[in-house]
Amino acid sequence: MTTTSLALTWMWPAVHPDRKVLLLDADPAGSGLLTGYLRAGVPDSAGVLALAAQRPPLSAEQTIECALALDADSTRMLLPGVSDPLQARPLAGTWTALADTARELGRFGVDVVVDAGRLGHRYEPTSLLHAADVVVVMARSEIASLVPAAAAVRRLRDERPGRIAPVAVVVGDGYSPGEITTTLAVADALPVALDAWTAGRFAEGGAQGWRFERSPLLRTVRAVIERLAQLAPSPDLAVTS
């Protein structure tokens, strides 16, 4: 669900105009951004691996220095992830340091959105999942996707006792939000449009133009961010998986 994470990052300042946002690409299975949005390449000085080469604790300044700006004024930023699952093997300490750094970034007016990939990977960023103010489980509105999503929600509820229940973001038409909320036992189920045209623009790095800004994907993603703001009024760290 890399496209949805990008869309969340792109629309975040529209809902929180006084905040900046950083997308942390923490998928241990390998980044979908590196073969899509970032296919032109990433400088050696940028990304999670460049940050991991520095000794923890990590500062907000170090994290921003390793990020890429997605727009002219760096309101939207991206910290690229790994290209090979083996590169994620030594990153447990980096994920823990970044979970702490997210709080510091929050005080500086930067919210963090994490793309954690599929749950269950042996090198998953567990510390980020545990530290998040709100966790979003993404799925398609079909049985084949909702069954593993239900298992992920159960696990997250067990591992985050006393915290806000996971939120389901459901891509495409099918089951109603009410049915999904009840079935998955989530705090809410929020629909996101299945929008191939806008997904293609993200994959090509061409995020601009009135048609793009008013697309079904971005309109529905904006509604998701508004609902997350109600559930977690001051989120420093939001994780999608």
Side-chain angles (χ1 to χ4, degrees):
M1 298 297 181
T2 299
T3 298
T4 307
S5 297
L6 268 174
L8 283 167
T9 303
W10 192 260
M11 290 304 295
W12 200 270
V15 179
H16 303 286
D18 57 336
R19 308 283 292 180
K20 295 188 175 185
V21 60
L22 170 68
L23 173 57
L24 168 54
D25 184 5
D27 186 346
S31 171
L33 294 170
L34 296 177
T35 56
Y37 194 89
L38 297 175
R39 66 184 183 281
V42 175
D44 291 340
S45 60
V48 169
L49 293 179
L51 195 59
Q54 306 181 43
R55 288 186 176 182
L58 301 173
S59 68
E61 289 82 1
Q62 287 173 301
T63 303
I64 296 300
E65 286 174 1
C66 290
L68 302 175
L70 299 183
D71 54 20
D73 57 0
S74 298
T75 299
R76 307 169 180 92
M77 296 170 283
L78 167 63
L79 190 64
V82 300
S83 58
D84 188 310
L86 291 178
Q87 294 174 316
R89 185 176 179 179
L91 292 180
T94 302
W95 303 139
T96 299
L98 281 169
D100 295 334
T101 303
R103 306 301 176 196
E104 183 184 2
L105 286 165
R107 292 192 291 272
F108 292 154
V110 181
D111 295 322
V112 180
V113 175
V114 180
D115 182 353
R118 292 180 181 273
L119 292 185
H121 195 285
R122 65 183 300 186
Y123 303 129
E124 73 178 23
T126 306
S127 54
L128 292 170
L129 293 167
H130 291 174
D133 296 293
V134 59
V135 176
V136 174
V137 175
M138 296 187 184
R140 290 184 179 271
S141 187
E142 54 193 33
I143 289 295
S145 183
L146 292 175
V147 169
V153 169
R154 288 194 298 270
R155 177 193 149 187
L156 290 166
R157 290 175 68 95
D158 289 343
E159 294 182 355
R160 290 166 48 87
R163 308 289 297 281
I164 298 171
V167 173
V169 167
V170 185
V171 180
D173 298 326
Y175 296 96
S176 71
E179 290 173 318
I180 293 172
T181 299
T182 301
T183 301
L184 299 187
V186 290
D188 209 343
L190 308 171
V192 165
L194 186 60
D195 182 352
W197 183 85
T198 308
R201 302 290 77 72
F202 273 123
E204 296 167 6
Q208 57 186 344
W210 68 268
R211 182 183 174 189
F212 175 82
E213 297 293 342
R214 299 177 186 177
S215 66
L217 173 59
L218 293 189
R219 288 201 310 270
T220 50
V221 160
R222 177 170 184 152
V224 169
I225 299 170
E226 290 170 346
R227 179 58 178 145
L228 294 179
Q230 295 172 349
L231 292 170
S234 302
D236 297 323
L237 180 62
V239 176
T240 61
S241 62

